[in-house]
Amino acid sequence: MLRLRFHGRGGQGAKVASRVLGTAAFLDGYNAQDFPLYGAERRGAPITAFTRISRDDIMERGLVSDPDIVIVMDETLLLDPQAMPLSGLKIGGIVFVNTPLSPLETKEEYGIEDHVVTLDITKVSLDMIGKPVLSSLAAGVASRIAGIGEGALKGALEKELSGIISDREILGKNTDAALHCYNALVPVQVKTAETIRERDNVITLPFEIARVSSPAINATGNTPLRKTGNWRVFRPVWNYDICTRCMTCVARCPEGCIRLNEDGYPYADYDNCKGCLVCAEECPVKAITKVREIHSRSEEGDR
């Protein structure tokens, strides 16, 4: 399995790049996963996206902490302690850096010991698209390094970008630029070991006792006192002339707040009923109607 991690800045298209790569891998006969990691994202903030590619079923879930290939879409991220793109990279892994520097210059500049591949995809984007939009280009270089076929990449670009870009001319420029980057790289073979470089962990959390790292609770056992009935817009009201006392509403209520009166008919605990109206949707005889809360003040009448 190949595990890839994209590091970019908000607005550069790391998420789309990982998605195009995942689709390209799928079209090339692989199983694939691709997904982004969102935090308090803002334009220019470091963001991360991930892709897994395998001929076998992919049973892993969650973030890729030990990538075989790292795609760095903005070289300034290499010095950003919030991003740390090389964190967890396997021994023998490959680092692609978007930079005008050569691979040797990049290794010397940033102290990288791994196999480095470089291409100034920002310049390619400006020259061929007219804007510093890097998503399709980063997908192109990632596909080349991962060994995905050019035809599959082209199909993935059409499929994924056509849902984002309606202008066929711009879509064509993105595709041409991505294929240009794909063919600008010399094919490489990824030979990674399962060992990662421990010294490059993203963060190390200090041990804290539970009393320090837990939220403050100023009174114990007070959850039942928290009433949620004031969230409601509509309330469920039963028509006992129709109700068959089948108990479907009792079983389906996600809050467990439907009870039975002395005659065995259901009624809602309006102090805690949020008005989701699942009971009304599920009632097989439609004995429950929704009544706008402001018009339904008579709880006794509802029961």
Side-chain angles (χ1 to χ4, degrees):
M1 181 190 304
L2 282 181
R3 302 169 180 85
L4 292 93
R5 198 169 64 207
F6 292 78
H7 290 269
R9 294 192 178 277
Q12 288 185 325
K15 170 193 170 186
V16 174
S18 72
R19 186 167 179 173
V20 171
L21 173 62
T23 301
F26 178 76
L27 295 176
D28 214 22
Y30 290 88
N31 293 308
Q33 290 178 352
D34 60 81
F35 51 98
L37 173 65
Y38 289 112
E41 185 187 1
R42 61 190 184 282
R43 196 169 187 83
I47 68 164
T48 313
F50 312 90
T51 309
R52 290 187 177 95
I53 300 170
S54 176
R55 293 289 185 192
D56 301 319
D57 292 338
I58 300 175
M59 304 307 293
E60 287 186 3
R61 299 292 186 272
L63 308 183
V64 173
S65 59
D66 53 346
D68 303 280
I69 301 168
V70 168
I71 305 295
V72 183
M73 298 169 65
D74 186 320
E75 66 176 305
T76 63
L77 292 171
L78 289 165
L79 300 177
D80 189 329
Q82 283 187 303
M84 296 189 67
L86 304 184
S87 164
L89 179 66
K90 291 177 181 174
I91 293 175
I94 295 177
V95 182
F96 169 81
V97 183
N98 172 25
T99 176
L101 301 177
S102 69
L104 180 59
E105 291 171 333
T106 303
K107 294 177 76 165
E108 292 177 348
E109 178 72 18
Y110 297 104
I112 304 174
E113 300 173 354
D114 305 280
H115 185 160
V116 173
V117 178
T118 66
L119 182 65
D120 190 352
I121 62 173
T122 300
K123 183 178 186 304
V124 174
S125 181
L126 290 171
D127 290 345
M128 298 186 67
I129 303 175
K131 297 179 180 179
V133 180
L134 307 181
S135 53
S136 54
L137 291 77
V141 298
S143 296
R144 184 62 150 181
I145 296 171
I148 304 301
E150 183 175 350
L153 170 63
K154 193 171 181 179
L157 289 165
E158 172 67 25
K159 177 176 176 57
E160 297 297 339
L161 297 186
S162 60
I164 304 171
I165 303 171
S166 56
D167 189 318
R168 298 298 300 180
E169 181 181 358
I170 297 176
L171 177 61
K173 287 182 178 180
N174 272 269
T175 301
D176 291 343
L179 296 177
H180 173 87
C181 293
Y182 179 92
N183 290 302
L185 299 187
V186 177
V188 295
Q189 188 170 6
V190 183
K191 295 181 179 179
T192 51
E194 290 301 313
T195 306
I196 63 172
R197 302 175 305 172
E198 295 183 358
R199 64 183 174 82
D200 286 331
N201 287 337
V202 177
I203 54 173
T204 300
L205 292 176
F207 173 79
E208 293 180 338
I209 61 174
R211 184 174 299 174
V212 173
S213 56
S214 299
I217 299 175
N218 297 320
T220 58
N222 58 2
T223 299
L225 302 179
R226 170 67 172 160
K227 307 300 182 186
T228 54
N230 58 348
W231 299 5
R232 195 171 50 235
V233 178
F234 293 95
R235 68 166 55 192
V237 178
W238 278 257
N239 182 346
Y240 291 158
D241 293 334
I242 302 176
C243 178
T244 62
R245 294 180 286 186
C246 68
M247 303 298 114
T248 300
C249 55
V250 177
R252 295 288 191 272
C253 177
E255 301 294 330
C257 61
I258 298 178
R259 300 172 182 170
L260 301 180
N261 64 19
E262 57 187 13
D263 295 322
Y265 286 99
Y267 69 94
D269 167 14
Y270 289 129
D271 283 340
N272 292 292
C273 170
K274 296 175 182 174
C276 70
L277 298 172
V278 169
C279 53
E281 293 291 333
E282 295 291 327
C283 178
V285 297
K286 303 302 178 188
I288 306 172
T289 57
K290 64 177 185 180
V291 178
R292 182 68 189 274
E293 183 63 28
I294 192 171
H295 300 303
S296 180
R297 298 296 187 192
S298 176
E299 291 87 348
E300 293 302 322
D302 293 343
R303 297 178 188 179

